[in-house]
Amino acid sequence: MPEQDSIDVVVVGNGVIGTSIAYELARRSPGTSIVVLGPRHRSGAASMAAGAMLNTFGEITKYTLMSPASQAKFQLCRDALDAWPAWLEQLKQESGVADVDKSLSHGTTVLLNAKSGHLDDENFAALLAALAKFDEPHEEIAPADIPGLDPLAEARPLRALHLPREGAIDARAVLSALETAATRHGVRFVDGEAAGFEVENGTVRGVSLADGSTLSAGTVLLAAGSFSGPLTSVFEEGSVPAMFAGKGIAVQTQRRVGVGFQHVVRTPNRSGSCGLHAIPLGDGVEYLGATNLLFSEPAHTPDIGMSEFLVQVAREQLDHRLFYSDVVSWLVGNRPVAIDGFPLIGRTSIDGLLVATGTYRDGFHCSPVLAKLVVDDILGEGSLAEAVPHFKPERRPIESMTVEEAVKEFAFHGVSASIEAGLRLPSHTDTTVLDVFYQQAAQRYYDAVEHPIGLSPEVLLSIVFDPDHADHRITRYLNAVHARYA
Ligand SMILES: Cc1cc2nc3c(=O)[nH]c(=O)nc-3n(C[C@H](O)[C@H](O)[C@H](O)COP(=O)(O)OP(=O)(O)OC[C@H]3O[C@@H](n4cnc5c(N)ncnc54)[C@H](O)[C@@H]3O)c2cc1C
């Protein structure tokens, strides 16, 4: 694109968040010149690998309603649940892709099975309590009545809850329709990568690209998902939560034996392996997901270890006849995960520069609501600072637990994940040995850190077994946080 073209808004990132915001802005402000910048291939994008379950209650864990920040996040998800039907209808009309919802599956069944230790018990109990508290339609059903479900006897479900309002949709089809609809509204998609921001006297002037060119604009939105981390170096160290890439592997399969699943069937969320789920996409194609390990940089290739784990747990816990299914494709994406697990959404201390990322596990589901809130702010019809004050991008990390609790929780998740992976112990002992091992590993890490904070099990897992953690970027980040916010 020639540099002299006048641009009002550059959206950095062409995943579901950036594309939805550009589309919403173009619809509501037809004269605005908008560019979405991102590599055409979208390699490693979360949106290209997502389920995408449109789950709110299905995502509940025991942490969901624990703090004001997590309650605010839950409210976003509830709003999204209400927003999707109209959003899809509008997308159908404005993209001209009449069958964009062809794969929409209605209903989600959440299983409590015996395979993941007591973590699932606690998350399932939290789900039951929230369903009652918010009067959300649901039904307890007999696991034997779930079409397609046929796990190994040792992994048979104990209980099952059906959520009729929650389903899933083909993420790749929705993203493609969003791009078509946005283009029809005049949004320009530029195949390239941002290298940094042009800032003058505290005001953003545009984006510098990796190829040396520049896109000048008075408003810039950083929405590059897990790739946003390096671009946040425009802010002082420690001012914005450190970012991780939550590598997720999923596989699409073609059913050969058995009837297959008729709607989403899943477990509660589990930190190390996400929630195990099967999603029917039509014509016998099924999506099996998803793994979740955090790294400092996004990945682009599935690895043997977690791919094997995914296939094993899907076959054992969902349907042993998946053994016969054909592999259609492996999917790899990176969830944008802030160190405190909460989104980064809002204006920043750099005038004209906004951030919308950190959506972790449910950004696809929340995308219509985030698009509306961000566009409200850009058009002066609302304020992100008022709508989602907890999630302002420049903040001290939100602490959901103390360091002592974090150590215990890390061990609890470690034991549960080991059980799910097939742990067998000699008969003279029990999981206490493993619990002690995980607690000691976490405690060793914290002992070496000068300014520790309570971190979630999945964040701790990504750093405690790193032999170089003493000079790890997270230690530097925590020192900078202390200097800035203490
Ligand atoms: C396996 C898996 C399963 C998931 N399942 C679900 C689910 O069931 N439901 C749900 O709601 N969510 C799910 N998620 C989470 C969801 O996918 C994310 O929260 C959401 O897609 C994040 O969207 P995004 O646009 O912020 O990031 P991304 O989709 O990662 O998009 C970022 C884009 O920025 C581009 N980019 C990279 N570098 C640059 C640069 N320098 N300049 C410009 N652009 C750049 C990338 O190519 C990419 O296209 C899942 C994620 C994974 C990985």
Side-chain angles (χ1 to χ4, degrees):
M1 169 172 301
E3 213 173 296
Q4 62 271 21
D5 275 13
S6 146
I7 306 166
D8 298 312
V9 179
V10 175
V11 176
V12 176
N14 56 350
V16 74
I17 299 296
T19 308
S20 301
I21 292 169
Y23 163 55
E24 175 77 2
L25 181 58
R27 279 186 55 244
R28 286 168 54 185
S29 181
T32 304
S33 158
I34 306 160
V35 163
V36 175
L37 172 66
R40 188 96 230 121
H41 53 68
R42 293 191 173 105
S43 170
S47 309
M48 295 299 284
M53 291 180 291
L54 307 178
N55 280 186
T56 294
F57 288 85
E59 288 285 310
I60 279 193
T61 68
K62 58 183 178 167
Y63 309 114
T64 301
L65 297 173
M66 231 177 210
S67 68
S70 56
Q71 288 162 15
K73 171 75 197 311
F74 186 59
Q75 187 58 47
L76 277 180
C77 295
R78 289 186 70 209
D79 292 346
L81 193 57
D82 296 337
W84 265 97
W87 179 252
L88 263 183
E89 202 46 51
Q90 175 188 290
L91 187 57
K92 258 202 258 185
Q93 284 166 18
E94 300 198 350
S95 65
V97 187
D99 64 351
V100 64
D101 58 352
K102 186 174 75 169
S103 67
L104 185 66
S105 84
H106 299 273
T108 293
T109 300
V110 184
L111 306 174
L112 172 64
N113 70 24
K115 269 313 255 191
S116 173
H118 295 296
L119 177 62
D120 276 20
D121 294 337
E122 294 187 0
N123 289 340
F124 198 81
L127 166 60
L128 273 168
L131 288 167
K133 178 174 170 150
F134 294 97
D135 206 18
E136 175 67 18
H138 66 280
E139 188 188 353
E140 176 133 19
I141 56 174
D145 293 343
I146 301 167
L149 185 70
D150 195 358
L152 300 187
E154 71 203 45
R156 64 192 182 279
L158 311 169
R159 296 180 71 176
L161 280 171
H162 189 67
L163 313 174
R165 292 209 306 147
E166 307 202 351
I169 194 160
D170 185 336
R172 292 136 298 277
V174 172
L175 188 53
S176 163
L178 277 168
E179 186 167 338
T180 304
T183 306
R184 283 182 161 196
H185 279 287
V187 174
R188 288 170 288 172
F189 284 78
V190 171
D191 184 8
E193 289 182 32
F197 301 107
E198 305 275 305
V199 179
E200 258 176 45
N201 301 325
T203 299
V204 77
R205 300 285 180 215
V207 180
S208 47
L209 275 65
D211 66 7
S213 63
T214 304
L215 292 171
S216 301
T219 300
V220 174
L221 175 82
L222 172 57
S226 65
F227 299 84
S228 302
L231 295 167
T232 61
S233 64
V234 69
F235 304 108
E236 280 179 32
E237 193 171 15
S239 59
V240 172
M243 293 290 298
F244 291 84
K247 178 177 180 181
I249 300 173
V251 60
Q252 284 194 358
T253 56
Q254 175 68 51
R255 178 63 66 166
R256 292 289 168 217
V257 177
V259 292
F261 294 93
Q262 308 298 304
H263 56 256
V264 179
V265 177
R266 63 169 298 170
T267 69
N269 270 332
R270 297 160 172 170
S271 71
S273 57
C274 193
L276 171 64
H277 48 274
I279 300 170
L281 292 173
D283 302 327
V285 176
E286 289 168 310
Y287 171 105
L288 307 173
T291 68
N292 179 41
L293 284 182
L294 270 49
F295 297 94
S296 50
E297 285 176 15
H300 298 264
T301 326
D303 52 89
I304 292 277
M306 292 308 282
S307 305
E308 180 195 19
F309 175 74
L310 174 66
V311 171
Q312 176 201 331
V313 293
R315 199 175 47 73
E316 287 177 358
Q317 298 181 40
L318 296 177
D319 182 8
H320 68 91
R321 294 160 301 184
L322 286 168
F323 179 88
Y324 301 100
S325 290
D326 290 342
V327 171
V328 177
S329 58
W330 286 96
L331 304 172
V332 183
N334 298 274
R335 301 173 184 84
V337 190
I339 191 164
D340 58 11
F342 289 100
L344 276 61
I345 302 163
R347 290 191 175 268
T348 68
S349 55
I350 299 174
D351 209 18
L353 180 59
L354 292 84
V355 178
T357 187
T359 53
Y360 199 1
R361 285 176 157 132
D362 45 22
F364 212 98
H365 174 55
C366 292
S367 55
V369 171
L370 294 181
K372 180 183 179 309
L373 291 176
V374 171
V375 171
D376 284 351
D377 191 304
I378 291 176
L379 297 180
E381 296 170 10
S383 153
L384 284 166
E386 284 169 21
V388 281
H390 298 284
F391 308 140
K392 63 179 181 191
E394 288 158 290
R395 63 174 187 244
R396 194 182 196 289
I398 299 164
E399 276 187 86
S400 301
M401 56 185 110
T402 64
V403 168
E404 291 72 25
E405 287 165 344
V407 168
K408 289 206 176 92
E409 206 54 23
F410 177 65
F412 183 52
H413 281 239
V415 170
S416 288
S418 304
I419 293 170
E420 190 188 6
L423 174 73
R424 285 187 77 89
L425 289 162
S427 49
H428 63 267
T429 187
D430 62 22
T431 52
T432 316
V433 283
L434 213 53
D435 192 89
V436 170
F437 164 75
Y438 279 110
Q439 286 208 39
Q440 285 175 343
Q443 195 57 58
R444 251 196 319 276
Y445 167 70
Y446 275 129
D447 289 346
V449 175
E450 210 178 337
H451 302 295
I453 61 170
L455 296 167
S456 68
E458 56 267 45
V459 169
L460 276 178
L461 183 65
S462 76
I463 45 187
V464 297
F465 296 123
D466 173 359
D468 298 326
H469 65 65
D471 50 24
H472 196 276
R473 74 181 174 109
I474 296 306
T475 308
R476 285 200 315 274
Y477 163 76
L478 292 176
N479 290 341
V481 166
H482 181 77
R484 189 177 183 84
Y485 294 106

